[in-house]
C-alpha cells in the first residue's frame, strides 16, 4: 500500500485559520499564579517549563517538583488551582507526567481555536504514517498531531455526554480511513439508529459500504437489521480464519502479502481480504432494545476479529456501568472519553478520573497504548462530508465486489424463560399495587441481586403483568390494582401459574380458591395474593461453611442482632453448591461515599487476589433506605475490578447506624 495515496483531494476540506500565539506576558502571569498556589500548599519546585508550542485548546505548563515534595501533597493542589484560575475554566493537574518526572498544569485557552481535519490529514505525521488503518484524532497538549492505528487498537470505544463531539470524531475517523484506503482495501459497516449521523455515506455505498447476499449495501438505520448484519460479520470472521488456516497464514497482512507476491492465487479460492470497519453510533440504545441478539454477535466479533482485519468502533452518550460492561472493557482496550457529568462516569470509561474536567467541543482523553493523552479532536462539518462523498461517488470505482455471507437467524424475544421464582408472587403484588416496574426498585425492596431481579422482571413480562423494555424508560404495568381493572379472577390465576407443570414452585391454591365464585371476580389483586401460600421463613446463613476473616466482631454483631444475613437465598444456595474455597470479609465506611468505602474495605480484607474470584455476594447494612446516588460509589468500586466478576447483593436497614455509615459483609467465591 502506498502511504502517500489519497482517494480524494484534500482541497474538498476547509482550511484551518492561522494559529494566534498566546502572549508571553499572559503566560508569565499564569505561571506566577500557579506558583503562588504551590507555595501556599507547601509544594516546592525547581524549574518551570513554559512550552513555546501551545495547543489550540489548552495551555500546558510543566514543573519539576522539589525532591521533598510528596505526590499526595501535589495532587491536593488541584482544587486550589481551579479556584485561582477560575476565570480560565476547569484546570487539570497531571502528577506525575508519564515518562518525564514532571508535573503538568493544563489551563483552557481563552482564545480557543478549531483544529480542522484538513490540517491533520496534511500533516507530516499522517502523510508518513506506517499504520495499516491510520486514524486522525487531532492535536495533543504539546501541539503534536496524533495519528493512531486502528489495526493495533484493535477496537475503539468512544463515550461521553451528548453534544461533546462524538459524532464529529466518528466522521473524522471514517474520512481519515477513506482518504488513505481504496475500496479494494476498506469496507465499512455503518450502524446509525439515530438515522441522521451517517446519512451522507449512502452516496458511496457502492464503493465503501458493505452488504450481504440478502441485503444491498446501505447505512443501517433500523433495529431489525442489526442482528442480521452482525451475525453475517461474525460468520465472515469464521470464514476468514478458515482461509488463514488453509493458506498457513497468521494474519490478514501476511495473507494479502502472499497474495500480492503470487504465492497464493485467486483461482485457487484465495480472494483478497479487505479490511472491514464496523462503526456503531449509540450502541447503548441497541443493547437496551436488542439485548442478547445484539450482544452475542458483537462479543464474538470483538474477541476473534483482529487477526482477520475486522475492527469495531462503538460510541455511546450513556457512559454507565450497565452498558460499558466487562466484555466491552476486556475487548476494547483503546477508549476515548469526552466530557462527562461525573468522576464515576469517567472511571467507567477510562478507569481513571479526569474527563469530567474537560471543556467540551472535541476536548477528549484518549487511552491508547496504555497512556492517557489529552487531545483536541479534529473538526469536519456536514458540508465537507457531502462534498467528499459526492466526489467519491463520481470518481472512484470499486473493483472488488465484496459481500458478507448470508446467515439465517431466528430472532427470539430477548427474554429467557425460567422456572418461576419463589418471590414471584410478592414481587407481582408490589408491582401491581405500586404501578412501578423498575428492576432496580425490585432489587432494593426485596434485597436481592440484580440478576435475580432482572429474572423476576422477565417472568412478569412473560406473565403479561408488565410490558417489554422501552429504550431505558420504565416498563408499562399492564395490570393495575384498581377498581377499573377488567382483568378477571380466572385470568389472574393463569398469569400467576407456572407454564411448567413439573415446576416445584407452582402456586398452591387454598380450598376456597379451588371452587371459584362470582364474588371472587371482584377481588383486588392484594386480596387474591393473600390467599396464596407463601413461606416467609428467614434464611439462616451457615457461617460454619466459610472461613471467617477480617473484623469477626462486626460479623458476630450482625448475626446476633438479626439471626441471618439478608442476601438472596438462591444466590447463597448456588454459592454453597460450588466446590470452591469461600471467604467472608467485612468492611465499613463513613461520609458521602460510605457504601463504596465499606465495599472497598471488605475487598481489601480478602486474602486472595481479585483475579482469583469468580463471584461476590455482599450485604449492605445501612441506616436508611438506599438511593441511586448512594449506590454510585459502590458501582465505581466494582468497575475498578480488573476481571469480570458476577456480583450479587442485598440491603438491610440498621437503625442503630449513624446516618452516613455503612457496614458490608462480603462473600467471595474463588475460581
Amino acid at each position: 500500500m502506498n502511504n502517500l495515496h489519497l482517494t480524494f483531494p484534500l482541497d474538498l476540506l476547509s482550511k484551518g485559520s492561522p494559529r494566534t500565539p498566546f502572549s508571553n506576558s499572559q503566560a508569565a502571569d499564569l505561571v506566577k499564579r500557579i506558583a503562588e498556589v504551590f507555595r501556599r500548599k507547601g509544594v516546592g519546585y525547581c524549574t518551570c517549563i513554559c512550552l513555546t508550542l501551545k495547543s489550540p485548546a489548552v495551555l500546558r505548563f510543566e514543573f519539576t517538583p522539589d525532591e521533598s515534595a510528596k505526590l499526595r501533597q501535589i495532587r491536593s493542589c488541584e482544587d486550589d488551582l481551579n479556584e485561582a484560575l477560575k476565570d480560565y475554566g476547569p484546570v487539570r493537574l497531571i502528577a506525575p507526567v508519564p515518562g518525564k518526572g514532571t508535573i503538568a498544569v493544563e489551563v483552557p485557552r481563552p482564545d480557543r481555536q478549531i483544529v480542522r481535519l484538513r490540517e491533520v490529514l496534511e500533516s507530516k505525521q499522517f502523510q508518513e504514517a506506517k499504520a495499516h488503518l491510520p486514524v486522525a484524532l487531532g492535536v495533543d497538549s504539546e501541539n503534536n498531531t496524533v495519528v493512531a492505528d486502528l489495526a493495533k487498537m484493535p477496537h475503539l470505544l468512544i463515550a461521553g455526554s451528548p453534544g461533546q463531539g462524538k459524532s464529529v470524531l466518528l466522521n473524522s475517523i471514517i474520512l481519515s480511513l477513506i482518504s488513505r484506503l481504496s475500496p479494494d482495501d476498506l469496507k465499512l459497516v455503518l450502524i446509525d439508529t439515530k438515522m441522521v449521523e451517517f446519512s451522507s455515506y449512502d452516496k458511496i455505498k457502492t464503493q465503501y459500504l458493505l452488504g450481504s447476499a440478502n441485503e444491498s449495501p446501505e447505512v443501517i438505520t433500523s433495529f431489525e437489521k442489526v442482528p442480521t448484519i452482525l451475525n453475517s460479520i461474525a460468520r465472515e470472521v469464521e470464514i476468514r480464519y478458515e482461509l488463514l488456516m488453509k493458506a498457513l497464514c497468521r494474519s490478514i497482512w501476511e495473507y494479502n502479502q502472499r497474495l500480492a507476491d503470487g504465492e497464493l492465487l485467486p483461482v485457487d479460492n484465495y480472494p483478497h481480504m479487505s479490511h472491514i470497519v464496523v462503526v456503531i453510533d449509540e450502541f447503548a440504545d441497541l443493547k437496551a432494545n436488542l439485548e442478547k441478539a445484539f450482544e452475542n454477535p458483537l462479543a464474538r466479533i470483538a474477541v476473534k476479529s483482529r487477526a482477520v482485519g475486522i475492527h469495531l468502533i462503538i460510541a455511546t452518550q450513556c457512559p454507565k456501568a450497565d452498558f460499558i460492561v466487562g466484555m466491552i472493557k476486556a475487548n476494547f482496550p483503546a477508549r476515548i472519553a469526552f466530557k462527562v457529568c461525573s468522576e464515576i462516569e469517567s472511571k467507567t470509561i477510562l478507569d481513571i478520573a479526569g474527563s469530567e474536567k474537560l471543556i467540551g467541543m472535541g476536548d477528549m482523553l484518549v487511552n491508547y497504548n496504555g497512556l492517557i493523552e489529552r487531545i483536541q479532536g479534529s473538526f469536519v462539518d456536514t458540508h465537507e462530508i457531502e462534498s467528499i462523498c459526492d466526489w467519491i461517488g463520481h470518481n472512484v470505482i470499486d473493483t472488488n465486489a465484496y459481500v458478507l455471507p448470508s446467515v439465517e437467524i431466528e430472532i427470539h424475544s430477548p427474554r429467557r424463560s425460567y422456572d418461576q421464582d419463589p418471590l414471584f408472587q410478592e414481587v407481582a403484588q408490589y408491582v401491581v399495587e405500586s404501578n412501578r416496574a423498575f428492576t432496580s426498585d425490585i432489587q432494593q425492596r426485596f434485597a436481592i441481586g440484580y440478576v435475580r431481579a432482572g429474572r423476576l422482571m422477565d417472568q412478569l413480562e412473560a406473565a403479561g403483568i408488565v410490558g417489554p423494555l422501552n429504550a431505558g424508560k420504565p416498563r408499562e404495568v399492564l395490570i393495575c390494582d384498581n377498581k377499573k381493572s377488567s382483568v378477571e379472577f380466572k385470568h389472574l390465576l393463569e398469569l400467576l401459574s407456572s407454564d411448567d407443570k413439573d415446576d416445584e414452585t407452582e402456586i398452591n391454591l387454598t380450598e376456597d380458591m379451588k371452587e371459584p365464585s362470582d364474588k371472587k371476580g371482584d377481588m383486588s389483586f392484594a386480596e387474591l395474593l393473600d390467599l396464596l401460600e407463601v413461606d416467609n421463613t428467614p434464611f439462616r446463613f451457615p457461617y460454619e461453611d466459610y472461613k471467617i476473616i477480617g473484623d469477626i466482631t462486626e460479623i458476630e454483631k450482625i448475626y446476633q442482632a438479626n439471626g441471618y444475613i439478608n442476601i438472596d437465598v438462591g444466590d447463597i444456595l448456588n454459592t454453597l453448591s460450588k466446590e470452591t474455597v469461600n471467604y467472608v470479609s467485612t468492611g465499613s465506611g463513613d461520609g458521602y461515599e460510605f457504601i463504596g468505602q465499606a465495599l472497598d474495605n471488605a475487598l481489601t480484607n480478602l486474602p486472595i487476589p481479585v483475579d482469583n474470584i469468580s463471584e461476590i455476594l455482599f450485604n449492605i447494612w445501612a441506616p436508611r433506605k438506599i438511593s441511586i446516588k448512594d449506590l454510585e460509589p459502590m458501582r465505581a468500586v466494582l468497575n475498578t475490578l480488573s476481571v469480570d466478576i458476577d456480583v450479587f447483593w442485598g440491603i438491610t436497614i440498621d437503625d442503630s447506624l449513624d446516618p452516613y455509615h455503612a457496614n458490608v459483609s462480603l462473600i467471595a467465591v474463588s475460581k
Side-chain angles (χ1 to χ4, degrees), residues 130-196:
K130 304 298 182 182
H132 293 286
L133 295 173
V135 172
L137 296 180
V139 175
D140 66 12
S141 299
E142 299 181 8
N143 211 36
N144 298 315
T145 301
V146 180
V147 179
D149 188 357
L150 182 61
K152 293 181 179 179
M153 285 183 175
H155 309 299
L156 175 61
L157 165 67
I158 302 170
S161 299
Q164 302 303 316
K166 296 183 298 299
S167 296
V168 173
L169 177 62
L170 289 176
N171 283 305
S172 294
I173 290 174
I174 292 170
L175 293 181
S176 62
L177 290 171
I178 289 175
S179 73
R180 283 278 296 272
L181 281 81
S182 69
D184 289 344
D185 297 319
L186 174 68
K187 295 297 179 183
L188 299 171
V189 175
L190 305 181
I191 300 175
D192 173 25
T193 54
K194 291 190 292 186
M195 302 184 186
V196 295

Side-chain angles (χ1 to χ4, degrees), residues 42-247:
V43 176
Y45 64 92
C46 299
T47 57
C48 171
I49 309 166
C50 183
L51 299 177
T52 55
L53 290 175
K54 289 89 175 178
S55 86
V58 296
L59 303 165
R60 180 169 174 143
F61 303 95
E62 291 190 11
F63 296 81
T64 303
D66 189 79
E67 293 181 357
S68 61
K70 303 296 183 183
L71 196 57
R72 181 181 300 177
Q73 187 182 16
I74 295 172
R75 289 174 176 167
S76 69
C77 297
E78 188 163 25
D79 289 340
D80 295 84
L81 287 170
N82 274 288
E83 178 63 27
L85 304 175
K86 60 185 177 182
D87 48 330
Y88 282 86
V91 174
R92 179 168 173 254
L93 174 64
I94 306 171
V97 176
K100 287 189 176 183
T102 60
I103 58 176
V105 178
E106 292 179 347
V107 183
R109 288 188 64 155
D111 56 342
R112 185 176 181 179
Q113 298 160 16
I114 296 175
V115 177
R116 286 282 179 178
L117 178 61
R118 176 171 177 172
E119 66 178 280
V120 178
L121 297 185
E122 287 179 336
S123 67
K124 181 179 179 181
Q125 291 92 331
F126 186 83
Q127 292 289 322
E128 298 181 1
K130 304 298 182 182
H132 293 286
L133 295 173
V135 172
L137 296 180
V139 175
D140 66 12
S141 299
E142 299 181 8
N143 211 36
N144 298 315
T145 301
V146 180
V147 179
D149 188 357
L150 182 61
K152 293 181 179 179
M153 285 183 175
H155 309 299
L156 175 61
L157 165 67
I158 302 170
S161 299
Q164 302 303 316
K166 296 183 298 299
S167 296
V168 173
L169 177 62
L170 289 176
N171 283 305
S172 294
I173 290 174
I174 292 170
L175 293 181
S176 62
L177 290 171
I178 289 175
S179 73
R180 283 278 296 272
L181 281 81
S182 69
D184 289 344
D185 297 319
L186 174 68
K187 295 297 179 183
L188 299 171
V189 175
L190 305 181
I191 300 175
D192 173 25
T193 54
K194 291 190 292 186
M195 302 184 186
V196 295
E197 299 298 346
F198 297 148
S199 56
S200 300
Y201 299 105
D202 266 327
K203 297 178 180 179
I204 60 171
K205 60 185 179 182
T206 59
Q207 288 87 0
Y208 281 100
L209 300 193
L210 200 57
S212 65
N214 297 332
E215 297 285 345
S216 59
E218 63 178 354
V219 176
I220 298 169
T221 58
S222 64
F223 286 98
E224 293 77 13
K225 293 183 179 181
V226 173
T228 302
I229 195 72
L230 290 182
N231 278 280
S232 294
I233 296 170
R235 178 58 187 143
E236 175 71 12
V237 171
E238 301 298 333
I239 292 173
R240 290 189 171 199
Y241 269 105
E242 292 169 5
L243 270 176
L244 292 184
M245 182 176 65
K246 179 182 174 183

Side-chain angles (χ1 to χ4, degrees), residues 293-555:
F294 170 72
E295 295 172 21
N296 290 343
L298 185 74
R300 296 205 307 273
I301 297 168
V303 169
K304 297 185 62 177
S305 62
R306 174 183 180 177
V308 294
I310 299 176
H311 306 277
L312 296 169
I313 301 174
I314 62 177
T316 181
Q317 62 182 10
C318 188
K320 305 293 185 183
D322 295 343
F323 299 109
I324 304 178
V325 294
M327 185 277 291
I328 297 294
K329 289 198 168 188
N331 294 292
F332 288 74
R335 305 175 206 160
I336 295 177
F338 286 86
K339 182 177 176 60
V340 294
C341 297
S342 68
E343 182 178 315
I344 292 172
E345 292 182 349
S346 179
K347 289 181 178 178
T348 299
I349 305 167
L350 298 174
D351 298 325
I352 65 165
S355 52
E356 75 280 2
K357 296 174 183 175
L358 298 176
I359 54 179
M361 296 179 62
D363 191 18
M364 56 189 176
L365 291 181
V366 180
N367 186 349
Y368 179 52
N369 287 334
L371 298 175
I372 304 291
E373 288 187 272
R374 185 173 187 174
I375 295 173
Q376 176 62 38
S378 52
F379 177 76
V380 58
D381 62 27
T382 304
H383 173 72
E384 295 173 274
I385 299 171
E386 293 278 354
S387 299
I388 291 171
C389 291
D390 285 337
W391 190 93
I392 292 175
H394 290 93
N395 294 279
V396 178
I397 299 175
D398 180 18
T399 59
N400 180 19
Y402 201 97
V403 294
L404 291 170
S406 176
V407 177
E408 294 295 332
I409 63 170
E410 183 179 354
I411 304 178
H412 300 280
S413 170
R415 295 301 178 187
R416 296 174 290 176
S417 59
Y418 304 92
D419 293 341
Q420 193 178 79
D421 193 287
L423 277 177
F424 175 80
Q425 300 153 28
E426 296 178 59
V427 173
Q429 177 181 1
Y430 169 71
V431 169
V432 171
E433 291 183 343
S434 65
N435 198 26
R436 291 168 55 87
F438 299 92
T439 303
S440 58
D441 195 24
I442 293 173
Q443 180 186 5
Q444 293 184 33
R445 183 172 182 84
F446 293 92
I448 59 177
Y450 187 84
V451 174
R452 187 180 181 188
R455 189 164 65 241
L456 278 160
M457 190 65 78
D458 295 347
Q459 294 176 6
L460 292 174
E461 180 185 345
I465 296 174
V466 302
L469 279 172
N470 187 21
K473 299 178 181 178
R475 292 172 181 258
E476 180 184 3
V477 180
L478 304 178
I479 300 175
C480 298
D481 183 22
N482 56 48
K483 295 181 180 180
K484 295 181 181 179
S485 176
S486 61
V487 180
E488 296 180 356
F489 173 74
K490 182 179 179 180
H491 182 55
L492 280 176
L493 290 182
E494 292 173 353
L495 295 180
L496 291 173
S497 299
S498 171
D499 293 330
D500 187 357
K501 294 181 180 180
D502 297 326
D503 188 355
E504 295 179 358
T505 63
E506 185 174 355
I507 297 174
N508 296 317
L509 305 180
T510 64
E511 292 297 324
D512 292 337
M513 295 177 65
K514 291 181 180 178
E515 295 294 331
S517 66
D518 294 337
K519 291 183 179 180
K520 290 192 173 90
D522 298 327
M523 282 180 135
S524 72
F525 194 67
E527 291 171 327
L528 170 65
L529 288 175
D530 286 340
L531 296 176
L532 302 178
E533 295 179 358
V534 180
D535 183 9
N536 289 319
T537 304
F539 181 77
R540 302 281 173 173
F541 188 81
Y543 283 106
E544 60 272 13
D545 293 347
Y546 287 82
K547 177 182 178 184
I548 301 176
I549 63 168
D551 188 356
I552 188 170
T553 305
E554 196 67 52
I555 286 185

